[in-house]
Amino acid sequence: MDSDAQIEIRLNPTLRDIPPAAWDACARATGSRPLDPFTTHRFLLALEESGSVGPGTGWQPLYLTAHEHGQMIGCAPLYGKSHSQGEYIFDFNWADAFARAGGQYYPKFQIAVPFTPATGRRFLTREGAESRALPALVQGAIQAAAENGVSSLHVTFCTEDEAIAGEAMGLLRRTTQQFHWENRGFQSFEDFLASLTSRKRKNIRRERAEAQGFGGTIHRLTGDQIAPHHWDAFWQFYQDTGARKWGTPYLTRAFFDIAHDTLRDDMILVLAEREGRPIAGALNFIGKEALFGRYWGCVEDHRCLHFELCYYQAIEAAIDLGLPRVEAGAQGEHKLARGYLPTVCHSLHWLADEGFSDAVARYLQAERRAIGEEIDVLTGYGPFKNATKEEQD
């Protein structure tokens, strides 16, 4: 398949057929710390080899690659989807509307990191080849969707630059929101607290004191500090959360064993232990520009422990590592009072049916206005100091 006279586009049913060095060069994942840990060859391969994606999961790998003069200059994590689970930018209402109109929404194509609501590049391009590789990947993905007769193509949690470029190429742009913590040059957690209104500052200190009084100790582990037996405990936490949120966990137990071998330098595991037994934990991934909070769970309930392990420990870790921000995952207006502000997330969409595409385009225009207004309102309720808030306090 050719999207350009000079560039060949391929679909690859397994990442094993793509050399890690070639993929990671496009993902900017070389060196001591990847730009985005989730688009590395090792992370995506862990999903595949663990059976978290593949047959029976509704996520069928179809990795997209672009080749020029024998060199891979771009790639994208493309999947065939038979449902809309594990995406976090939801299109359930689109699927329902299309079905009621007599259409078949599934299968569809998805360019995304499965089960991972974290913003990052989705059209991965080798340095110096961006202007050729990105259009080729976009056009190649649309062509592949059309040739395979799927209803639609979705590119979720892409960067703003990709959203702008994709929209210029005819894709529909969607905006949603998450809550991110921004590091304003803080040298310590106390520096962060000093930037808050006095009421919010006191509330966070109270929550941390309550959480750390659960009767045990809290540890932040990374790299070789993480031992294989830690995953036995974390699997229990993950299963509990997965059963309550999604019905069944998305990741298999094998994923964590593979992750221990290939990803532990990319992770920070926060564990709460009482009487020598882990009772709660939160898993974070480390990127070059952000710490990504991903999974949390517990086998004992203790007041404010969730806030401590997921939000405050993540902030401390980001400050220690000198990272610009923490992305704490999907949803959660409760994060606002804890220093996480609303941030725009981007996605791109192509729908084969022109009438349906026009209807969705009108919906997205109204949604963008509503999201913008909501972000403005929520930001005004943020915990950071300004003259009016200090007077109110």
Side-chain angles (χ1 to χ4, degrees):
M1 183 186 338
D2 292 316
S3 62
D4 183 282
Q6 298 287 319
I7 299 175
E8 179 190 6
I9 298 294
R10 303 174 190 168
L11 295 181
N12 304 267
T14 174
L15 208 59
R16 299 182 192 93
D17 294 340
I18 302 174
W23 182 281
D24 284 345
C26 297
R28 315 290 168 88
T30 56
S32 60
R33 185 69 68 195
L35 181 65
D36 176 358
F38 305 116
T39 55
T40 61
H41 190 279
R42 57 187 177 270
F43 182 88
L44 296 170
L45 186 62
L47 292 177
E48 186 181 333
E49 291 193 331
S50 68
S52 300
V53 301
T57 67
W59 290 83
Q60 190 58 44
L62 295 167
Y63 310 102
L64 193 71
T65 55
H67 304 262
E68 182 182 56
H69 306 305
Q71 183 185 54
M72 197 172 95
I73 63 167
C75 53
L78 174 65
Y79 298 85
K81 290 297 304 294
S82 60
H83 54 62
S84 293
Q85 301 294 331
E87 295 172 11
Y88 300 97
I89 291 179
F90 298 117
D91 60 353
F92 295 113
N93 55 342
W94 302 1
D96 181 61
F98 198 56
R100 284 189 282 108
Q104 184 172 325
Y105 194 72
Y106 304 107
K108 63 177 184 174
F109 276 5
Q110 191 92 12
I111 293 178
V113 177
F115 330 122
T116 307
T119 292
R121 294 162 62 241
R122 295 296 172 258
F123 299 104
L124 310 175
T125 57
R126 188 179 287 269
E127 192 169 1
E130 296 89 347
S131 63
R132 305 186 309 281
L134 190 146
L137 288 169
V138 172
Q139 293 163 6
I142 294 171
Q143 185 177 342
E147 289 179 351
N148 282 274
V150 299
S151 72
S152 51
L153 165 72
H154 310 268
V155 184
T156 45
F157 292 100
C158 61
T159 66
E160 183 177 11
D161 287 345
E162 288 176 325
I164 293 169
E167 186 176 34
M169 296 177 68
L171 299 178
L172 303 180
R173 178 172 59 90
R174 187 179 191 183
T175 59
T176 52
Q177 70 163 351
Q178 282 185 340
F179 291 85
H180 297 174
W181 177 84
E182 299 291 336
N183 188 346
R184 305 179 178 185
F186 303 125
Q187 298 300 306
S188 66
F189 196 89
E190 282 300 313
D191 279 354
F192 159 62
L193 288 181
S195 71
L196 306 180
T197 64
S198 60
R199 182 166 57 87
K200 297 298 185 184
R201 186 164 58 245
K202 291 174 183 176
N203 185 64
I204 289 176
R205 285 190 171 129
R206 178 186 57 78
E207 287 185 344
R208 297 205 79 182
E210 287 192 28
Q212 294 176 7
F214 73 99
T217 55
I218 295 171
H219 308 278
R220 282 206 306 267
L221 309 173
T222 189
D224 291 340
Q225 296 171 328
I226 304 173
H229 72 267
H230 289 133
W231 298 117
D232 293 330
F234 193 79
W235 175 246
Q236 294 183 55
F237 309 151
Y238 176 70
Q239 279 189 303
D240 176 70
T241 301
R244 285 186 286 106
K245 284 190 173 183
W246 318 304
T248 56
Y250 292 136
L251 300 175
T252 66
R253 176 65 179 85
F255 172 83
F256 296 99
D257 291 331
I258 296 170
H260 180 79
D261 292 336
T262 63
L263 293 163
R264 64 181 181 270
D265 289 337
D266 300 319
M267 298 187 292
I268 294 177
L269 179 60
V270 184
L271 286 178
E273 295 184 347
R274 193 168 66 84
E275 298 177 353
R277 172 175 169 260
I279 56 100
L283 181 61
N284 305 270
F285 281 80
I286 312 168
K288 188 174 289 186
E289 298 175 353
L291 184 70
F292 301 92
R294 286 306 302 115
Y295 303 110
W296 140 269
C298 64
V299 293
E300 293 183 9
D301 290 321
H302 293 275
R303 184 171 171 80
C304 297
L305 194 58
H306 171 255
F307 301 145
E308 174 65 24
L309 267 58
C310 293
Y311 306 139
Y312 303 141
Q313 287 288 328
I315 289 172
E316 281 194 336
I319 292 172
D320 290 347
L321 292 169
L323 294 174
R325 69 183 184 279
V326 177
E327 296 192 19
Q331 304 170 341
E333 292 184 6
H334 60 279
K335 298 169 185 171
L336 187 67
R338 292 159 184 94
Y340 293 74
L341 295 179
T343 305
V344 173
C345 296
H346 302 274
S347 61
L348 291 164
H349 308 270
W350 173 86
L351 301 140
D353 185 281
E354 289 186 10
F356 188 53
S357 181
D358 289 343
V360 169
R362 291 192 296 272
Y363 166 81
L364 292 180
Q365 287 179 350
E367 185 184 49
R368 278 197 297 272
R369 287 194 297 270
I371 290 292
E373 291 170 1
E374 184 177 8
I375 287 176
D376 288 343
V377 170
L378 289 173
T379 300
Y381 284 101
F384 293 94
K385 286 179 182 176
N386 60 46
T388 301
K389 286 185 179 178
E390 287 296 273
E391 289 170 4
Q392 289 173 347
D393 280 345

